[in-house]
Amino acid sequence: MIDRLEKEVDMLERHLQVLKMVIENEPIGIVKMSNETGYPHHKVRYSLRVLEEENLIEPSSQGAIKTERTAEFVDELDEKLDDIVDKLDGMKIEDVAEIEG
């Protein structure tokens, strides 16, 4: 149950790292991103596809570039992540006297 969530968080982390590289280095290609992050080409390519589907980046002849929607997404990101962290904190099972089995 938690393993799937961990995998999703790892994938989100990769997507956001790729997005950050595009924002800071646009235009940027798959090979450079792969070399700098250590992620295999196919994982960078997948992240780029996801980001493109979300209209956060777009392809150009020189590599990936940001879109008009990128700044708005980045502005809202920290608040959304904080909300998720708060929700996860609320899910913790703490102070349980003793679970008997």
Side-chain angles (χ1 to χ4, degrees), residues 84-95:
I84 292 168
V85 168
D86 290 344
K87 184 178 267 188
L88 290 171
D89 279 340
M91 298 166 105
K92 290 180 181 177
I93 301 175
E94 296 176 337
D95 302 323

Side-chain angles (χ1 to χ4, degrees), residues 43-93:
K43 289 193 175 199
V44 171
R45 189 175 293 113
Y46 178 72
S47 291
L48 288 170
R49 187 171 357 136
V50 168
L51 294 168
E52 186 177 356
E53 287 172 2
E54 293 292 324
N55 295 316
L56 297 174
I57 64 163
E58 60 188 21
S60 76
S61 57
Q62 292 84 31
I65 58 173
K66 61 186 182 250
T67 66
E68 292 177 6
R69 181 163 157 24
T70 308
E72 177 187 346
F73 174 82
V74 170
D75 288 344
E76 296 171 353
L77 179 63
D78 286 349
E79 184 177 337
K80 287 182 179 185
L81 290 174
D82 287 341
D83 290 345
I84 292 168
V85 168
D86 290 344
K87 184 178 267 188
L88 290 171
D89 279 340
M91 298 166 105
K92 290 180 181 177
I93 301 175

Side-chain angles (χ1 to χ4, degrees), residues 6-54:
E6 270 186 303
K7 287 178 184 175
E8 288 292 324
V9 170
D10 288 344
M11 191 172 4
L12 177 61
E13 180 181 30
R14 185 181 75 233
H15 295 338
L16 293 176
Q17 187 175 3
V18 168
L19 178 61
K20 185 177 177 183
M21 289 189 75
V22 171
I23 292 168
E24 293 174 350
N25 303 292
E26 69 175 339
I28 186 169
I30 292 171
V31 173
K32 184 173 182 180
M33 279 191 258
S34 179
N35 290 341
E36 290 188 18
T37 62
Y39 293 127
H41 291 191
H42 71 277
K43 289 193 175 199
V44 171
R45 189 175 293 113
Y46 178 72
S47 291
L48 288 170
R49 187 171 357 136
V50 168
L51 294 168
E52 186 177 356
E53 287 172 2
E54 293 292 324

